[in-house]
Amino acid sequence: APYRERSPERVASDLDALAAAHGAGIFYLSEDTISPAHLSGISAELRGSSPRLRLATDLRPEKAVTARACREWADAGLIATALGVESASPRILRLMRKGLKTQDADLAIANLAEAGVAVEVMCFTDFPTESLNEALETIRFLERRSDRISLFMCGIFSLTHGSAVAADPEAFGV
């Protein structure tokens, strides 16, 4: 189904209604990844809400995850986020075509942790053509940032229907 984004005003209103109806105070915004701009809009709507709601969600580890944005999100109730880092190998990230860079992930982790937001990092190994050394780059990346990471998941690549690898396996050496 096509992705549709609710307005920040609507998200805040829905969260307020759910909190009132169910006595809930912590919400997980479940979607693949919320854009930093949209999270900023939601945060602006929730800032100063009573009762104070707390949130967790998924984010792309991109340049827009700035120190200022992270502080604003935390002030508005963000308590945890999961980052789809995927790999710390620049070559593998380029192959994945996700537009992610290791240095952006590093900065996002630091900015979120400094703002007091619990950071979960999601990675995987065994992407087609990934070498042992490239897989170890990801493990070392996690290890060097262990003081800023609250939780990590490191899975094994799995081919899924509709993915770029499934659509053009030869391009990925499969």
Side-chain angles (χ1 to χ4, degrees):
Y3 174 79
R4 293 183 316 228
E5 199 169 75
R6 290 182 177 172
S7 71
E9 298 82 10
R10 173 78 188 270
V11 172
S13 173
D14 288 348
L15 292 174
D16 284 338
L18 288 166
H22 303 289
I26 301 173
F27 293 91
Y28 186 81
L29 303 181
S30 179
E31 55 184 276
D32 283 345
T33 56
I34 190 169
S35 74
H38 196 51
L39 184 55
S40 290
I42 294 167
S43 295
E45 291 295 319
L46 291 176
R47 198 168 288 110
S49 66
S50 183
R52 183 169 189 237
L53 302 179
R54 294 182 291 165
L55 308 172
T57 193
D58 294 358
L59 279 170
R60 279 177 48 93
E62 57 189 64
K63 286 182 182 181
V65 184
T66 64
R68 179 180 178 183
C70 292
R71 286 190 304 272
E72 290 173 359
W73 301 335
D75 289 346
L78 184 67
I79 57 172
T81 188
L83 300 174
V85 172
E86 317 302 12
S87 173
S89 164
R91 186 184 76 83
I92 295 300
L93 288 173
R94 280 192 305 277
L95 276 176
M96 288 180 187
R97 304 176 189 160
K98 291 190 175 253
L100 300 174
K101 294 186 177 174
T102 305
Q103 58 267 34
D104 295 335
D106 192 30
L107 195 56
I109 291 166
N111 289 339
L112 287 159
E114 182 66 29
V117 176
V119 179
E120 174 186 357
V121 176
M122 298 181 292
C123 302
F124 59 87
T125 61
D126 294 336
F127 192 78
T129 74
E130 181 180 55
S131 69
L132 174 61
N133 282 338
E134 288 169 324
L136 289 173
E137 279 183 74
T138 301
I139 302 305
R140 288 186 207 106
F141 176 89
L142 293 169
E143 185 178 47
R144 285 191 304 271
R145 288 143 188 90
S146 63
D147 61 329
R148 296 178 175 155
I149 297 172
S150 299
L151 175 69
F152 75 89
M153 293 188 298
C154 191
I156 297 173
F157 173 78
S158 177
L159 185 62
T160 57
H161 178 74
S163 69
V165 177
D168 189 7
E170 294 81 22
F172 295 90
V174 176

